[in-house]
Amino acid sequence: MNVKKFFELAKEKGLSDCQIQISKSKSTDIGIFRKEIDSYTISDSQSIKACGIYNGKFASCTTNRLDKNAFEFLINGIIDAATVSEKEESVDLFEGSEKYHKKNVFNPALAEFPIEKKIELLFQIEKDILASDPRVSEVETVSYRETESSSAFYSSKGLKLSQKRNLFTLVAGAVGKQGEETKTAYNFFYGNDFSKVDEKKFVKELIDELLPQFGGTQCKAAKYPTVLRYDIFSSFVGYFIASASADEVQRHTSFLGDKLHQKVASKKITISERPLDKNPFFTYFDDEGVATYNKDIVKGGVLETFLYNRETAKKDGVSTTGNGYWAGSKIGTDTGFIKVKQGKKSFEEMIAPIKEGVYITDIAGLGTGMNSTTGNFSCQASGYMIRDGKVAEPLNLITLSGNLLKMFADVKDIDKQDAIQSSINCPDVFIKKMSIGGK
Amino acid sequence: MISKSLALKVLNAALETGGDYAEIYVEDTKTNAVSLENGKVETSSRNESYGAGIRILNGFRSAYGYTSDLSEKSLLALAKSLAASYQGERKITVKSLTKQRVKVLNKIDQPLASVPTTEKIEVLKEAYSIIHESDPRIVRVITGFSDYHTDIEIFNAEGEEGKQFNNFQERGRMTMLAFASDGEKMETYFSGPARFAGWGYFKNELDWRKEAKTVAEKVIMMLGADECPSGRFPVVITNGWGGVLFHEACGHPLEASATAKGLSCFSGCIGQQIASPLVSAYDDGTIPNEWGSNNLDDEGVPTKKNMLIKDGICVGFMVDRLNGRRLGMEPNGTARRQSFHYEPTSRMSNTYIAAGKDDPEQIIKDTKLGVYVTNFGGGSVNPATGEFNFSASEAYIIRDGKVCEPVRGCTLIGTGKDVLMNIDRVGKDLALGQGMCGAASGYIPVDVGQPTIRLKEITVGGRGGELK
């Protein structure tokens, strides 16, 4: 698209400054079920997000209808939104950071790797899951999704930035039956280097997740020393970090609001945002065109910084932290790749001192069970008892309840688990005590 | 949005390699949203989502693709790419497309997009004032209004004579979120009345002033609530939005997307008892102007009132075209999707437990010790195991048949089969509540519903220790 025309039209209609972000995305999804390709989905889509300043007010508009009227639609949308806006102050558009740390994280080899080989692997995974144990009754899904996305950013201040990435996700789900009991388990693998898929390991992890669940019961409702597996802990870290958003803090609705430079977690907890790490989550500029950088958010249990976009930074008289990302129709706050610093112990060493405790390996319903303003939460969970320092019998249909601040303060130990399973990379953690609901 | 001649070309390109059904779903959704923070307009936005999805079925297989480029070149390229996923000979050549009559079940008085933003802002400002002025402990109020107008064009064919359907959806939602603080604790309370309706409903029928007062009262009341106890005990669930229990525990596992592949705890259960004999349940996409209603589904099948459970016996599923083939059942107007980015599949619309005979007050009077749940955050389910959870954002302890102190932060968990069999009282006060449901074909508006019901016993999780 000719973005010059957008800027010309914007100027003609009275916008003092504006920016435009054009995103393109292509994807292929393949799902197999009972030895056949069950679903095949391909997509090719584009969208434009635009914002600008009209009569001193900042506003935005978005579309994916990229026809000849798109620019007019966007600019009129900005004007209409700015006209009714009652925000007391608006920020100027950004002129650009001094330095950007651009890296090429796009792996052309991913798309070049033959699709037939990828499909072959899916069938092999399905076959190996079914053959692994007679209790595996069905392979719910084996699916592969590959996406290629690019984003180009232009502003009337002359800033031009772009990035391109690709990523694949491999997902498998198995159903197991033993007597009247039905259990499910899933495994995921992310990346942009297909050669890193270890099929045998992937299947083994799935089966190891599925089979030990049989015979699960409820424990007695009580407070127990609790170990959260890395993937479960990462969900809680996501909510914790979201509360460091300056936007929530300035509106007095964050439980971290009055805690800058204070202890908000156990000294074992260090949480960093690392958007410049070379992995599929790499991003070197935010949606305001600000250069991102690696930083500690919580260091040794102390809250080091809030997360700012340009507007919230202006309010607090500080610099933006490069965390301005689109949230619906406005620039909100978000983070890139997050890493929680590992400990030195193995999982076995970490749980060795626990006489009677609970090890949580699955949760459900946290999205609706979390009050992100207060940090109070309650959700469905399953896992295992820990007895005399070892993982023991399975637990099913229990609840896990707590408060994020208390939970992070009560982290007694962390292990050295280091698997990039999502954009939040965590070790396993041992929490002194948490409320477990059951019998 | 695309011409009939282009649609014909695209369908025939899609069917070139042996597909036995092809479909083009064209969508143009215009969204307007305005949000006020403490009575001042914070954001006002407009969005347009425009594109098409093409689907080819071949037996039990499906190929789906979408694009935001509706040019002939783009649509034909997409159809050919999808057709290339099959290796067969053409079975069908579509010769004609006939426009079908679509019965409009949901009448719109004044289109929401035609209402000036300033008029919506006026309502939102008054709602803010009502909430804010109720109590000095209310420290933050977010009020908002969103409207969505979608024009849909579906072309499909499974023989020489194809069909064309034109449909529209017009939905609006008013949202009120209050935050209250006593200096130490903070609580929130949300209300989001929504309808498939025009402005007339929101202006004249919805008592949003009363709703705003309720939001203010509830957020203050919850500020003083204790933590919910945990354990297994009787639970009475209020009417309306309480139906999220049935939605999660039973609705999702009765969708053909789960039952057809044998992956649901209710697969093969038609004719079997899956609930207490007191329970009958429906999915009804035809209720005029309800949030989850539609004139026809996203495969062009008219919506219906589908009975799912009759006196505890499973009598039906929600069935889309593809999973209907797997089940040997006819599609029943329940194929839905968030947008052209998603392939349609069977989903709920307005799903509810039918009214029973009990007086709701008597149900509480007959409960010695338990919890009365009156508002919910939502929930989720694993259809294969039937294990579900839902979080209660407002609840009370019942002692000796009386509603006592409020409690917060509780989660109810169980399996669909157990919980449905455990319903021992069903009230006569059926009501519906509105929410958003997320699953394979995206986020869609749904109504959940039920009368007041009682569960003999269910696992409740909270931080308040033992129930006394």
Side-chain angles (χ1 to χ4, degrees):
Chain A
M1 297 194 87
N2 186 351
V3 291
K4 202 175 152 200
K5 281 191 178 167
F6 174 80
F7 291 123
E8 282 169 4
L9 187 62
K11 196 173 176 188
E12 193 185 307
K13 291 203 168 224
L15 267 67
S16 54
D17 262 314
C18 52
Q19 69 179 47
I20 187 165
Q21 203 168 339
I22 303 174
S23 303
K24 296 181 183 178
S25 170
K26 281 183 179 182
S27 69
T28 304
D29 288 76
I30 300 158
I32 63 161
F33 182 67
R34 292 184 188 162
K35 299 181 186 169
E36 287 211 31
I37 295 177
D38 173 51
S39 63
Y40 171 73
T41 305
I42 52 177
S43 75
D44 186 354
S45 59
Q46 300 185 52
S47 66
I48 307 183
K49 291 174 174 169
C51 43
I53 294 169
Y54 181 76
N55 283 344
K57 300 281 186 184
F58 179 92
S60 62
C61 189
T62 59
T63 185
N64 69 356
R65 185 170 186 164
L66 306 191
D67 59 13
K68 59 180 176 11
N69 301 320
F71 289 161
E72 182 133 17
F73 174 85
L74 290 164
I75 292 162
N76 289 344
I78 291 170
I79 292 171
D80 290 350
T83 305
V84 295
S85 172
E86 294 176 296
K87 285 188 99 167
E88 277 154 21
E89 51 180 335
S90 281
V91 285
D92 299 331
L93 291 188
F94 188 50
E95 292 188 347
S97 297
E98 270 181 33
K99 195 175 176 191
Y100 291 93
H101 301 276
K102 189 171 183 175
K103 289 176 191 168
N104 182 12
V105 292
F106 183 81
N107 178 12
L110 180 62
E112 287 160 11
F113 196 86
I115 189 80
E116 296 77 19
K117 294 270 180 202
K118 291 166 184 164
I119 294 171
E120 211 173 277
L121 178 79
L122 300 186
F123 284 123
Q124 189 61 45
I125 289 172
E126 186 187 47
K127 191 177 162 191
D128 288 352
I129 293 170
L130 277 171
S132 59
D133 193 281
R135 288 169 291 175
V136 177
S137 61
E138 188 72 273
V139 179
E140 190 177 320
T141 182
V142 182
S143 66
Y144 176 82
R145 179 179 172 83
E146 187 175 311
T147 54
E148 239 182 70
S149 59
S150 66
S151 170
F153 177 100
Y154 307 88
S155 87
S156 56
K157 301 251 187 199
L159 192 57
K160 289 181 192 170
L161 299 161
S162 64
Q163 56 188 353
K164 191 175 175 185
R165 72 186 81 205
N166 55 354
L167 177 72
F168 75 88
T169 315
L170 182 64
V171 181
V175 182
K177 285 199 171 150
Q178 182 173 288
E180 290 295 301
E181 267 188 288
T182 301
K183 298 291 170 195
T184 57
Y186 300 89
N187 199 11
F188 305 84
F189 188 88
Y190 302 82
N192 67 359
D193 182 354
F194 198 77
S195 67
K196 287 193 175 161
V197 179
D198 182 340
E199 189 263 330
K200 299 283 174 214
K201 183 170 174 259
F202 182 77
V203 172
K204 185 176 182 305
E205 284 169 355
L206 178 69
I207 299 302
D208 288 349
E209 175 87 12
L210 179 71
L211 300 180
Q213 295 179 48
F214 289 114
T217 53
Q218 292 184 321
C219 55
K220 194 172 180 309
K223 289 190 175 180
Y224 292 91
T226 302
V227 174
L228 303 179
R229 198 170 67 183
Y230 59 91
D231 51 337
I232 306 303
F233 187 49
S234 73
S235 301
F236 290 101
V237 170
Y239 283 104
F240 194 85
I241 290 302
S243 294
S245 155
D247 198 34
E248 291 303 315
V249 171
Q250 288 168 357
R251 295 175 203 273
H252 310 290
T253 45
S254 165
F255 58 83
L256 294 177
D258 53 356
K259 296 191 167 50
L260 188 62
H261 304 306
Q262 292 181 30
K263 203 159 178 284
V264 293
S266 148
K267 64 180 180 188
K268 296 207 177 248
I269 294 290
T270 291
I271 307 172
S272 313
E273 190 207 8
R274 305 188 62 83
L276 299 179
D277 280 9
K278 201 168 177 183
N279 61 37
F281 307 104
F282 169 82
T283 184
Y284 77 98
F285 64 92
D286 72 3
D287 289 340
E288 295 185 293
V290 177
T292 60
Y293 60 97
N294 292 350
K295 55 191 161 286
D296 290 333
I297 301 168
V298 176
K299 189 176 179 184
V302 173
L303 181 63
E304 294 286 305
T305 182
F306 292 130
L307 300 169
Y308 289 99
N309 58 29
R310 296 186 66 245
E311 184 183 325
T312 53
K314 189 179 172 188
K315 265 187 201 162
D316 276 8
V318 297
S319 298
T320 171
T321 53
N323 291 99
Y325 292 97
W326 282 95
S329 57
K330 64 173 189 175
I331 301 277
T333 309
D334 207 346
T335 50
F337 181 64
I338 294 286
K339 186 167 175 61
V340 179
K341 194 176 170 185
Q342 304 125 271
K344 289 180 180 161
K345 291 178 184 169
S346 66
F347 176 77
E348 290 74 18
E349 287 167 339
M350 181 178 76
I351 67 166
I354 303 173
K355 194 162 168 47
E356 187 186 48
V358 167
Y359 173 38
I360 302 293
T361 57
D362 197 12
I363 53 171
L366 188 62
T368 55
M370 171 68 74
N371 181 333
S372 47
T373 302
T374 60
N376 292 333
F377 64 86
S378 182
C379 62
Q380 180 190 337
S382 59
Y384 300 86
M385 285 301 295
I386 297 173
R387 296 191 191 281
D388 299 323
K390 293 206 166 61
V391 175
E393 75 273 15
L395 293 171
N396 190 36
L397 279 177
I398 55 173
T399 60
L400 174 72
S401 308
N403 173 276
L404 280 176
L405 259 183
K406 174 132 184 38
M407 174 177 151
F408 276 69
D410 283 352
V411 169
K412 201 167 178 184
D413 215 344
I414 52 177
D415 72 3
K416 58 184 178 187
Q417 167 70 242
D418 183 24
I420 296 185
Q421 280 283 330
S422 71
S423 59
I424 301 177
N425 174 225
C426 287
D428 306 297
V429 290
F430 166 17
I431 318 280
K432 270 180 215 164
K433 273 191 177 176
M434 291 190 74
S435 290
I436 304 291
K439 281 189 276 197
Chain B
M1 288 175 271
I2 65 169
S3 69
K4 214 183 253 190
S5 60
L6 173 57
L8 206 56
K9 277 188 203 170
V10 173
L11 289 174
N12 278 319
L15 293 165
E16 196 176 348
T17 54
D20 54 34
Y21 169 85
E23 167 193 278
I24 311 166
Y25 176 89
V26 191
E27 177 202 332
D28 184 4
T29 296
K30 293 183 177 74
T31 308
N32 297 289
V34 59
S35 175
L36 275 65
E37 173 87 26
N38 288 331
K40 288 193 172 170
V41 179
E42 171 93 355
T43 57
S44 165
S45 64
R46 187 184 294 168
N47 174 255
E48 184 167 17
S49 173
Y50 180 76
I54 300 174
R55 184 165 64 138
I56 314 169
L57 301 184
N58 190 351
F60 297 161
R61 287 179 61 185
S62 165
Y64 185 74
Y66 63 85
T67 177
S68 47
D69 179 355
L70 296 193
S71 66
E72 178 168 338
K73 191 179 158 196
S74 156
L75 291 173
L76 283 173
L78 177 59
K80 284 177 184 168
S81 298
L82 292 168
S85 67
Y86 299 115
Q87 285 88 37
E89 295 294 315
R90 177 185 291 279
K91 293 176 203 153
I92 298 167
T93 300
V94 190
K95 294 189 175 155
S96 64
L97 283 167
T98 311
K99 195 167 176 177
Q100 308 292 305
R101 188 177 164 267
V102 175
K103 192 176 173 192
V104 177
L105 301 168
N106 302 284
K107 301 213 166 42
I108 303 302
D109 45 16
Q110 187 183 1
L112 296 164
S114 73
V115 178
T117 309
T118 46
E119 193 173 332
K120 295 169 188 164
I121 291 170
E122 215 172 282
V123 169
L124 297 174
K125 286 199 171 197
E126 192 181 336
Y128 155 74
S129 297
I130 292 169
I131 299 170
H132 175 71
E133 285 161 18
S134 297
D135 196 293
R137 288 170 291 177
I138 295 175
V139 293
R140 183 182 177 193
V141 181
I142 301 172
T143 49
F145 192 87
S146 303
D147 58 75
Y148 318 85
H149 179 89
T150 304
D151 285 308
I152 294 159
E153 202 164 54
I154 301 169
F155 300 92
N156 63 21
E158 44 191 347
E160 283 187 1
E161 291 178 12
K163 293 175 181 172
Q164 177 187 348
F165 304 87
N166 285 75
N167 188 23
F168 74 95
Q169 296 174 27
E170 174 90 9
R171 291 190 169 93
R173 186 169 210 192
M174 183 175 177
T175 53
M176 292 171 263
L177 174 63
F179 298 72
S181 172
D182 60 4
E184 283 181 16
K185 282 189 290 186
M186 181 165 280
E187 258 319 310
T188 59
Y189 199 88
F190 172 80
S191 174
R195 284 293 185 282
F196 186 133
W199 185 240
Y201 167 77
F202 292 95
K203 202 176 168 186
N204 307 320
E205 287 182 51
L206 173 69
D207 193 346
W208 51 266
R209 291 180 182 89
K210 187 179 165 196
E211 198 67 32
K213 276 180 200 152
T214 305
V215 167
E217 283 163 18
K218 297 282 187 182
V219 75
I220 293 300
M221 190 196 61
M222 292 312 293
L223 196 58
D226 292 329
E227 297 295 338
C228 183
S230 65
R232 282 182 67 82
F233 34 80
V235 172
V236 177
I237 302 174
T238 190
N239 65 349
W241 184 221
V244 73
L245 170 94
F246 181 78
H247 175 99
E248 298 299 348
C250 192
H252 280 298
L254 287 175
E255 290 166 339
S257 47
T259 59
K261 289 182 174 176
L263 297 171
S264 164
C265 55
F266 294 136
S267 291
C269 273
I270 288 186
Q272 293 178 23
Q273 185 178 359
I274 61 168
S276 148
L278 299 172
V279 175
S280 290
Y282 297 88
D283 179 76
D284 184 359
T286 68
I287 305 172
N289 297 107
E290 272 305 332
W291 177 236
S293 296
N294 206 343
N295 300 316
L296 78 167
D297 79 356
D298 290 336
E299 291 181 327
V301 179
T303 50
K304 291 186 175 68
K305 180 175 181 177
N306 293 304
M307 185 172 233
L308 304 172
I309 298 173
K310 188 179 182 191
D311 302 329
I313 309 292
C314 178
V315 293
F317 299 143
M318 285 152 279
V319 185
D320 61 290
R321 192 179 300 269
L322 175 63
N323 289 300
R325 289 179 172 198
R326 292 186 173 118
L327 288 163
M329 294 172 81
E330 284 299 309
N332 54 14
T334 55
R336 301 187 68 190
R337 51 178 132 195
Q338 179 181 333
S339 69
F340 67 91
H341 294 97
Y342 297 87
E343 185 176 359
T345 193
S346 48
R347 300 287 297 272
M348 285 173 269
S349 56
N350 308 305
T351 316
Y352 57 90
I353 296 177
K357 291 176 182 165
D358 286 332
D359 175 358
E361 286 178 17
Q362 194 61 43
I363 296 175
I364 290 169
K365 278 182 192 162
D366 294 345
T367 305
K368 196 166 167 48
L369 183 65
V371 169
Y372 177 40
V373 182
T374 53
N375 203 7
F376 305 86
S380 65
V381 67
N382 177 339
T385 61
E387 290 170 2
F388 72 90
N389 64 80
F390 73 119
S391 65
S393 53
E394 179 192 350
Y396 304 82
I397 303 296
I398 303 174
R399 276 190 207 89
D400 297 324
K402 290 191 182 108
V403 176
C404 302
E405 73 273 16
V407 288
R408 59 181 172 175
C410 62
T411 297
L412 273 61
I413 60 167
T415 64
K417 281 187 172 173
D418 286 348
V419 82
L420 290 172
M421 295 300 279
N422 248 322
I423 296 172
D424 69 348
R425 302 291 291 270
V426 179
K428 53 187 175 187
D429 54 340
L430 171 66
L432 300 175
Q434 298 83 47
M436 295 297 290
C437 169
S441 61
Y443 276 87
I444 55 169
V446 294
D447 269 57
V448 299
Q450 66 171 44
T452 299
I453 61 164
R454 187 174 73 178
L455 305 173
K456 261 188 289 187
E457 194 180 66
I458 187 169
T459 301
V460 179
R463 294 192 296 150
E466 207 177 323
L467 174 64
K468 287 172 190 161

